Amino acid sequence: MKKVVKFGGSSLASAEQFKKVGEIIHADQERRYVVPSAPGKRFSQDTKVTDMLYACYSLAEEGKGFKKELAEIAARYQEILDGLSLSLSLTEEFKTIEKNFKEKAGENYAASRGEYLNGIIMAAYLGFEFIDAAEVIRFGENGDFDAELTNQILGKRLEGVERAVIPGFYGAYEDGRVKTFSRGGSDITGSIVSRAVKADVYENWTDVSGFLVADPRIIKDPEGIETITYRELRELAYMGASVLHEDAIFPVRREGIPINIRNTNQPEDEGTWIVESTCQKSKYVITGIAGKKGFCSVNIEKSMMNSEIGFGRKVLQAFEDNGISFEHVPSGIDTMTVFVHQDEFIDKEQKVVSAIHRLADPDSVDIEADLALVAVVGRGMKSTRGTAGRIFSALAHVNVNVKMIDQGSSELNIIIGVANEDFETAIKAIYDIFVVAQL
Ligand code: ASP
């Protein structure tokens, strides 16, 4: 068995956290490949090392002094080294970083140093080999991650390597220039390494015990999700549930490698398993609830719309021409509604409305603002009758007006549109009926 273990920034924010991580790795011989993030926040007002690096480099870029800022970053690492009683010195590394900052090596290079240095410390602490991600993770000239080339290079490099540390978040172009993934990208590195070594499990260690059925800012102490499929996760993540970087799914998914989200501060918790498919039922009919505020709906009416071929295309053309993507398009006999993000739409609304008139000649166009979408997701809904009915009676019970209903053909997801101000009430009501009532 081979496990790849990725540790997030809060799991590596201090020497104390490093010790927990060391214990976790040593507790299981199969945890052979380690992907660290940069040190994160030690307390809520603290600053992540990655953010310190961005700030420090922007001074360098403007030609201003940055010695003090760089020294503060060095101090973060020194505190970890001292706490671990490691005699390793990073002085030379910091000299190189200073020189490269002065030569304007770029923001990507700057940000990547957080993971790079943490990787060096982690390798020394564990006695594992250190492999610089710049050597094994490759980006194409257009800036896109080159999955196949990376898989070849990395697979080869790790062949016969028993144990290694590969820093997260970055790779390089062919000429060696460093390029980072988007923020939170160490999750992606962990997934790429898992694919390359054909790991049995990708363990992603963070500071929560996996995914929760609902947002803890809305529901107090929500239940955890034991097992979730990639598709369910995609639906929930899209609607705002965030624990894992979205792009971290693809590399492991193509190899059928499960992801196990775990909590560094509570290693005894099983966490959440993310799998391709499972015959394990989720504990409740629904797997999770998520949602977002800030949508508006554009309602288009035209009598005899249903018999007019191409009407929908013309309406959507008006959105496309203005560079606006749509979320949902429920339709009736003579009406069609297009849900869009309010902040993207607001500046272009009049242009879109006139384009709809020009292209589709409707009877009327009416815009409704300040709407929220709530997604109720669950593989169990397919085999359970009455799920939609239960949702709507729960919402009616708390006086929430349902503005839109959309159930995808997969029967995995029911999306409900409500007013922004009803958002929290709606989520609570749905959680109560499916989870609290079953406890
Ligand atoms: N350190 C990077 C960030 O703060 C990447 C990561 O932690 O995954 O975004």
Side-chain angles (χ1 to χ4, degrees):
M1 284 267 276
K2 251 183 267 173
K3 292 181 184 167
V4 171
V5 284
K6 180 260 168 180
F7 290 89
S10 58
S11 301
L12 299 167
S14 64
E16 218 161 292
Q17 291 298 87
F18 257 78
K19 287 180 188 164
K20 290 184 195 167
V21 166
E23 269 172 38
I24 290 167
I25 295 170
H26 291 310
D28 184 346
Q29 287 298 305
E30 290 160 0
R31 295 184 174 133
R32 290 172 44 189
Y33 304 100
V34 182
V35 175
S37 281
K41 294 183 182 191
R42 293 160 293 182
F43 41 89
S44 63
Q45 302 305 316
D46 202 10
T47 310
K48 290 179 176 190
V49 165
T50 308
D51 290 314
M52 295 169 86
L53 283 161
Y54 278 122
C56 180
Y57 183 72
S58 86
L59 293 172
E61 184 80 41
E62 291 165 25
K64 294 187 182 148
F66 59 86
K67 261 202 148 60
K68 184 178 132 259
E69 286 72 14
L70 195 61
E72 280 168 13
I73 297 169
R76 288 286 306 261
Y77 287 102
Q78 197 55 48
E79 187 187 300
I80 295 173
L81 287 168
D82 293 345
L84 297 176
S85 311
L86 284 176
S87 58
L88 179 76
S89 164
L90 294 176
T91 313
E92 286 307 312
E93 293 290 352
F94 272 97
K95 274 191 193 150
T96 310
I97 293 171
E98 188 179 348
K99 180 173 152 285
N100 289 336
F101 274 30
K102 280 188 183 145
E103 289 170 5
K104 308 207 167 135
E107 196 180 48
N108 279 253
Y109 165 81
S112 75
R113 295 306 86 184
E115 271 69 11
Y116 170 79
L117 296 168
N118 233 16
I120 293 178
I121 299 181
M122 178 65 89
Y125 181 54
L126 296 171
F128 286 17
E129 182 174 346
F130 173 76
I131 297 177
D132 187 353
E135 286 166 23
V136 287
I137 298 211
R138 197 53 74 73
F139 287 84
E141 260 325 299
N142 59 1
D144 289 345
F145 167 60
D146 190 336
E148 293 320 308
L149 185 57
T150 298
N151 199 45
Q152 268 175 32
I153 300 174
L154 189 57
K156 209 162 186 186
R157 178 66 181 84
L158 290 175
E159 236 173 49
V161 176
E162 195 53 29
R163 293 171 195 282
V165 174
I166 304 116
F169 190 39
Y170 71 95
Y173 294 102
E174 205 183 341
D175 63 9
R177 269 176 308 133
V178 167
K179 164 104 177 87
T180 58
F181 292 107
S182 56
R183 295 299 304 266
S186 298
D187 284 341
I188 310 173
T189 310
S191 183
I192 294 166
V193 174
S194 302
R195 178 184 171 204
V197 300
K198 300 195 171 37
D200 296 282
V201 187
Y202 168 26
E203 287 182 351
N204 187 296
W205 291 81
T206 173
D207 52 8
V208 290
S209 295
F211 283 88
L212 300 169
V213 173
D215 187 337
R217 287 167 299 187
I218 299 173
I219 305 289
K220 197 169 167 282
D221 295 329
E223 290 281 301
I225 300 176
E226 286 168 12
T227 310
I228 184 169
T229 64
Y230 294 133
R231 286 168 64 211
E232 287 174 309
L233 176 62
R234 166 103 181 97
E235 306 267 1
L236 286 175
Y238 186 72
M239 275 298 183
S242 70
V243 171
L244 191 71
H245 194 296
E246 239 190 301
D247 296 342
I249 304 287
F250 301 105
V252 285
R253 184 172 185 173
R254 52 190 305 165
E255 291 288 329
I257 301 168
I259 307 174
N260 188 196
I261 308 283
R262 301 285 293 262
N263 188 347
T264 301
N265 305 317
Q266 268 163 259
E268 61 287 354
D269 290 355
E270 259 287 304
T272 299
W273 284 90
I274 308 168
V275 299
E276 160 120 44
S277 185
T278 174
C279 56
Q280 271 193 43
K281 292 221 167 66
S282 46
K283 227 155 126 196
Y284 313 101
V285 172
I286 60 163
T287 303
I289 315 162
K292 279 193 216 164
K293 289 183 180 177
F295 292 94
C296 55
S297 67
V298 183
N299 307 304
I300 300 121
E301 251 190 84
K302 183 171 191 179
S303 55
M304 307 304 284
M305 170 200 289
N306 57 342
S307 57
E308 187 180 324
I309 291 170
F311 185 81
R313 178 182 50 75
K314 290 175 201 157
V315 168
L316 293 179
Q317 184 78 46
F319 289 85
E320 184 179 342
D321 289 350
N322 285 286
I324 293 180
S325 63
F326 65 86
E327 290 294 308
H328 292 281
V329 189
S331 62
I333 305 291
D334 286 335
T335 62
M336 171 173 169
T337 304
V338 183
F339 272 78
V340 288
H341 285 275
Q342 193 156 325
D343 55 352
E344 263 177 40
F345 182 67
I346 202 150
D347 291 338
K348 297 180 181 163
E349 61 167 28
Q350 296 311 317
K351 275 191 172 162
V352 176
V353 172
S354 64
I356 295 173
H357 276 286
R358 191 165 16 86
L359 293 164
D361 191 28
D363 297 337
S364 68
V365 178
D366 168 51
I367 299 174
E368 186 170 359
D370 303 321
L371 300 175
L373 294 175
V374 177
V376 186
V377 175
R379 57 189 182 277
M381 298 197 312
K382 224 180 208 165
S383 51
T384 316
R385 260 167 293 164
T387 309
R390 286 171 75 192
I391 295 174
F392 301 124
S393 70
L395 293 177
H397 204 75
V398 290
N399 282 323
V400 168
N401 184 20
V402 175
K403 310 239 177 211
M404 188 271 295
I405 307 158
D406 195 352
Q407 173 167 30
S409 52
S410 61
E411 282 188 71
L412 192 71
N413 197 358
I414 296 177
I415 293 182
I416 302 140
V418 299
N420 271 345
E421 64 199 32
D422 286 337
F423 180 66
E424 285 84 5
T425 315
I427 290 186
K428 278 190 194 123
I430 297 169
Y431 185 83
D432 280 350
I433 192 97
F434 286 104
V435 181
V436 179
Q438 307 293 311
L439 287 176

